[in-house]
Amino acid sequence: MSDAPDSPLADYAGLRDVELRKSLEAEHGLFIAEGEKVIRRAVAAGHRVRSVLLTRRWAASLADLLDGFGDRVHVVDDATMEAIAGFPVHRGALAAMERPRLPSVAEVLGGGSFGPARVLVLEDLVDHGNVGAVFRCAAALGVGAVILSPRCADPLYRRSVKVSMGAVFAVPYARMTDWYGGLAEIRAAGFRTLALTPDQSATPLDRVPLTGRVALLLGSEGDGLSSRWLHEADEAVCIPMSPAAMSLGVDSLNVVAAAAVACHGLMRGAPV
Ligand SMILES: C[S@@+](CC[C@H](N)C(=O)[O-])C[C@H]1O[C@@H](n2cnc3c(N)ncnc32)[C@H](O)[C@@H]1O
């Protein structure tokens, strides 16, 4: 079995090399799903399988799904799996999937009563695990869509997909093409934009009326929201922090924790 560039196993090269994967996945139009549950969810969501690479143990658990995939299924021993992937794949099963065409922001937001009432807007998150975890919060807490800034990390990167447990297949999302004018498009679609900031002088989220369409803006792990987005949003809102934490210098939540608290808060007043 070969993983030369023209081999189907080339899809699995350097799975821990972020830069290599970004260019390889863009060039070949693919993404990687890892683990039985995630692979099943990808297939159930309609994603097309290019190939599956798995160890014998997992071949048995996935037998029903793999039936009919013929020579697109590669069963290997643990050592070969590790040599191809470049790390021990604990969940023993990887699938290379066709990367779907992303809808536009307008398509995801849809018109009025047909589109989502609650969306998250992620500005420049860099960590793929955080992006995946935010999608999981969105799926679990009833947020209808996610909009990404042009530079936000990829929800279909292997780690995002894995951490999301497949929520990236369930929550529609789109990527803005224009950071500068991106918020204006969301506001023009009828959303009230709430900028989530740790700044404790902002309005506490639980005091903000949540009628109509609401878009929650979350900032990057390091710098938070850009001043442009903070100022352009309809309102800056915060999750109140404990004064004791603030006195210890803990002045913000991790972006995933903030997303979880805020998405739960959004359920108040959400249309049923
Ligand atoms: C790690 S924080 C960024 C911290 C950054 N120093 C700042 O001032 O925004 C990442 C994002 O999580 C959200 N966040 C974190 N703590 C928050 C809080 N207490 N209230 C509201 N949003 C919060 C914000 O959207 C923030 O941009």
Side-chain angles (χ1 to χ4, degrees):
M1 198 172 291
S2 147
D3 57 354
D6 56 347
S7 148
L9 295 185
D11 284 355
Y12 302 95
L15 284 180
R16 283 214 168 144
D17 183 336
V18 179
E19 290 313 313
L20 170 77
R21 291 307 304 181
K22 279 187 192 166
S23 59
L24 187 148
E25 294 186 9
E27 189 185 336
H28 296 283
L30 65 98
F31 72 92
I32 299 288
E34 178 177 348
E36 177 182 352
K37 243 185 208 167
V38 171
I39 293 172
R40 284 188 186 280
R41 286 177 183 170
V43 171
H47 293 288
R48 219 185 83 67
V49 173
R50 289 161 66 98
S51 67
V52 183
L53 173 67
L54 73 182
T55 56
R56 286 189 184 87
R57 185 158 79 84
W58 291 95
S61 341
L62 278 161
D64 59 308
L65 189 83
L66 302 178
D67 202 23
F69 285 0
D71 63 2
R72 287 184 288 152
V73 179
H74 307 279
V75 181
V76 296
D77 59 32
D78 290 358
T80 309
M81 184 79 159
E82 183 169 345
I84 295 170
F87 66 98
V89 182
H90 297 300
R91 292 183 194 272
L94 298 167
M97 322 282 303
E98 298 288 352
R99 193 172 268 264
R101 180 195 78 86
L102 266 195
S104 67
V105 171
E107 285 169 316
V108 166
L109 296 183
S113 50
F114 297 111
R118 304 283 185 254
V119 303
L120 292 183
V121 187
L122 310 184
E123 188 181 30
D124 296 2
L125 266 62
V126 293
D127 185 284
H128 290 106
N130 283 345
V131 170
V134 168
F135 269 78
R136 193 165 178 184
C137 294
L141 297 168
V143 169
V146 176
I147 305 297
L148 312 171
S149 68
R151 292 195 312 191
C152 186
D154 177 15
L156 287 184
Y157 190 80
R158 177 181 60 89
R159 186 158 163 71
S160 319
V161 174
K162 182 178 171 184
V163 172
S164 83
M165 281 307 294
V168 291
F169 310 133
V171 181
Y173 71 93
R175 189 179 287 281
M176 295 172 176
T177 49
D178 170 27
W179 169 79
Y180 199 78
L183 281 195
E185 182 176 2
I186 294 170
R187 296 174 73 214
F191 283 88
R192 208 152 135 258
T193 49
L194 303 180
L196 272 167
T197 169
D199 179 351
Q200 300 293 291
S201 66
T203 312
L205 180 61
D206 59 4
R207 299 231 193 105
V208 177
L210 293 174
T211 47
R213 302 185 101 184
V214 176
L216 268 187
L217 320 183
L218 284 156
S220 70
E221 295 88 344
D223 294 337
L225 287 168
S226 61
S227 55
R228 177 175 172 87
W229 279 26
L230 264 175
H231 291 114
E232 198 185 345
D234 293 304
E235 189 158 3
V237 297
C238 71
I239 298 163
M241 306 276 298
S242 118
M246 298 291 279
S247 70
L248 291 171
V250 179
D251 59 359
S252 69
L253 292 157
N254 158 284
V255 65
V256 177
V261 173
C263 290
H264 186 262
L266 275 192
M267 292 172 90
R268 169 175 62 90
V272 281

